[in-house]
Amino acid sequence: MIGLFLDALLLKAGYNAALVAVGAALLGIAGGSGGTFLFLRKRSLVSDATAHATLPGVGIAFMVMVAFGGDGRNLLGLLAGSAISAGLGLLAVEWIASRTRLAEDAAIGAVLSVFFGFGIVLLTIIQTMSSGYQAGLESFLLGSTAGMLFQDAVVIAAGGALAVAFVLIFRRPMTLVAFDAEFAAASGIDVRRMDLAMMGLVMAVTVIGLKLVGLILVVAMLIIPPATARLWTERTDRVILIAGIVGGLSGYMGAALSASAPGLPTGPIIVLIGFAIFCASLLFAPGRGVLAALFRHRRFQLRVHRRQGLLALARGEAIYDPLTLAVLHREGLMRQDAVATDKGRAAAAKMLLDERRWALARQLYQDDEVSGRYDGLTPIETVLTRDEIAEIDRRIGPPAAVA
């Protein structure tokens, strides 16, 4: 199993499997980076409506191709039908949201349920047709590469490459619109056209990924990578880059794992790998990760106990809290017999002086720049200038000694 997986990762599991892996990686890059624009625009659920709206197009395209004597399973024809259907779904969402009093989420829910229900009805009818029994259209729900032909893999790889190229070409105006639509409009960018370009990109990724991931799971390729990337950085350009990397890595590893174990479905494996990367990021991301948040909370807690302990030393009060005592002992501010060291007395005097400085500063400078930054932990030297502090010290007199 491990050997087969390594062969698949190194593109040695066969030409068709290698092409599927490359196509899945390109699709993941396009889905992750393209989905970032909707993520920043807070319109991620539009991709869900787009995905579910493709199903009627798949069924109608199959019927039309069979009616004209063609192969109803031709991937290009099925993708063309799903693209038309998805486009109609997007137009329906836009029309309902702009022409009625319904909010966009209600429009998405209505379009999603109606189109998906209509698609299921069409698939049921197709199953009763003599030519539709072996059509395998149910693979478009969850994705499947088991019966994928060489030309199907070429279509997916080429479509993924074109979607990646589109992101590279239009990333700057789409980023500006996604981040600040009003500023983009003031800069001369046609916001509506860029919105349509974002929707078109999402629709393209959705349609291309139908055979590989399925319409139910393709939404995950558009949402999970941007959500993962947002945990790692605050900068928009880096979110797009990291989302593309996460999506590409998920697609590539999922396709390789599916190729090494034919019994495992490709689409769910891709989504699960993406979710695993998201979970790891949620735990270990340095800025927004859970462990980083716990570390910041612990550091803040220790700083609070240090401050309270020093103030207690300065005022001659007894200290009973075990954590406060541990902090003072660890920093050499207090001996084991609860007597302050020279270092502790100096730190306590400085802490008491800063408390008096802050009290007078908030009276003298009654604005948010000063009073809003007082939390008992922020050094006053980072807020006021030396001359301002010197004036405060002149008013409050000499510092009190700590016994």
Side-chain angles (χ1 to χ4, degrees):
M1 174 68 180
I2 297 178
L4 292 175
F5 179 58
L6 291 177
D7 287 341
L9 282 179
L10 298 175
L11 304 178
K12 296 179 180 179
Y15 191 74
N16 198 49
L19 198 57
V20 170
V22 172
L26 291 172
L27 184 66
I29 294 172
S33 55
T36 300
F37 302 116
L38 285 185
F39 178 81
L40 295 175
R41 286 283 275 165
K42 295 179 172 56
R43 303 184 70 185
S44 294
L45 282 180
V46 172
S47 60
D48 200 12
T50 304
H52 285 76
T54 59
L55 190 57
V58 172
I60 294 175
F62 178 85
M63 290 177 162
V64 170
M65 287 188 289
V66 170
F68 283 91
D71 183 8
R73 292 174 293 181
N74 181 274
L75 186 60
L76 279 176
L78 294 175
L79 294 185
S82 63
I84 295 173
S85 179
L88 292 175
L90 282 176
L91 290 176
V93 171
E94 290 289 329
W95 188 88
I96 294 174
S98 60
R99 300 298 181 87
T100 69
R101 295 185 177 182
L102 293 178
E104 188 176 60
D105 57 346
I108 290 172
V111 171
L112 183 154
S113 55
V114 171
F115 273 70
F116 188 69
F118 182 44
I120 293 295
V121 170
L122 290 176
L123 291 187
T124 304
I125 295 174
I126 290 173
Q127 291 297 315
T128 63
M129 299 168 55
S130 59
S131 57
Y133 185 72
Q134 298 293 332
L137 297 185
E138 66 279 355
S139 65
F140 283 87
L141 295 176
L142 296 176
S144 174
T145 59
M148 187 177 293
L149 303 176
F150 171 75
Q151 55 265 34
D152 297 342
V154 171
V155 169
I156 292 175
L162 290 175
V164 172
F166 185 89
V167 171
L168 292 175
I169 294 172
F170 292 100
R171 70 187 185 281
R172 291 188 181 278
M174 288 196 298
T175 299
L176 192 57
V177 170
F179 188 72
D180 192 339
E182 294 182 358
F183 179 75
S187 302
I189 297 175
D190 190 331
V191 174
R192 177 168 176 77
R193 184 171 296 179
M194 282 298 105
D195 268 333
L196 291 176
M198 294 180 200
M199 298 300 177
L201 176 61
V202 169
M203 186 181 73
V205 172
T206 302
V207 169
I208 298 167
L210 284 180
K211 183 66 176 177
L212 190 66
V213 186
L215 65 90
I216 294 178
L217 298 176
V218 73
V219 181
M221 297 188 70
L222 294 162
I223 296 178
I224 292 179
T228 303
R230 188 64 182 87
L231 294 171
W232 287 95
T233 182
E234 301 284 343
R235 294 184 55 179
T236 306
D237 54 343
R238 293 181 181 176
V239 172
I240 297 172
L241 176 62
I242 296 174
I245 293 174
V246 171
L249 187 62
S250 302
Y252 186 77
M253 292 186 65
L257 185 58
S258 178
S260 62
L264 296 177
T266 306
I269 292 299
I270 291 175
V271 173
L272 288 177
I273 290 177
F275 181 68
I277 297 175
F278 171 78
C279 290
S281 301
L282 185 63
L283 287 175
F284 301 111
R288 295 169 173 261
V290 173
L291 295 181
L294 292 175
F295 178 76
R296 287 195 300 270
H297 175 73
R298 179 63 175 177
R299 185 172 57 183
F300 175 78
Q301 185 181 35
L302 294 178
R303 290 175 64 197
V304 170
H305 279 268
R306 181 182 185 277
R307 171 180 177 270
Q308 294 302 110
L310 289 175
L311 288 177
L313 288 179
R315 295 163 181 163
E317 300 171 352
I319 302 174
Y320 301 102
D321 185 78
L323 182 57
T324 303
L325 292 172
V327 170
L328 296 179
H329 289 154
R330 186 179 61 193
E331 295 189 20
L333 303 174
M334 175 185 285
R335 300 193 318 222
Q336 293 297 326
D337 57 359
V339 177
T341 63
D342 292 340
K343 179 181 177 182
R345 284 192 291 270
K350 175 65 167 57
M351 183 65 68
L352 187 61
L353 174 62
D354 282 351
E355 286 290 302
R356 297 172 63 194
R357 285 171 169 173
W358 272 116
L360 182 57
R362 283 180 291 163
Q363 296 177 10
L364 297 176
Y365 307 100
Q366 297 181 358
D367 53 31
D368 293 337
E369 180 62 27
V370 175
S371 60
R373 295 188 61 180
Y374 173 73
D375 57 5
L377 302 175
T378 302
I380 195 170
E381 292 83 0
T382 63
V383 180
L384 300 180
T385 65
R386 291 182 180 180
D387 292 340
E388 291 172 332
I389 295 176
E391 175 61 22
I392 291 175
D393 288 343
R394 187 188 67 79
R395 295 194 182 197
I396 64 177
V402 176

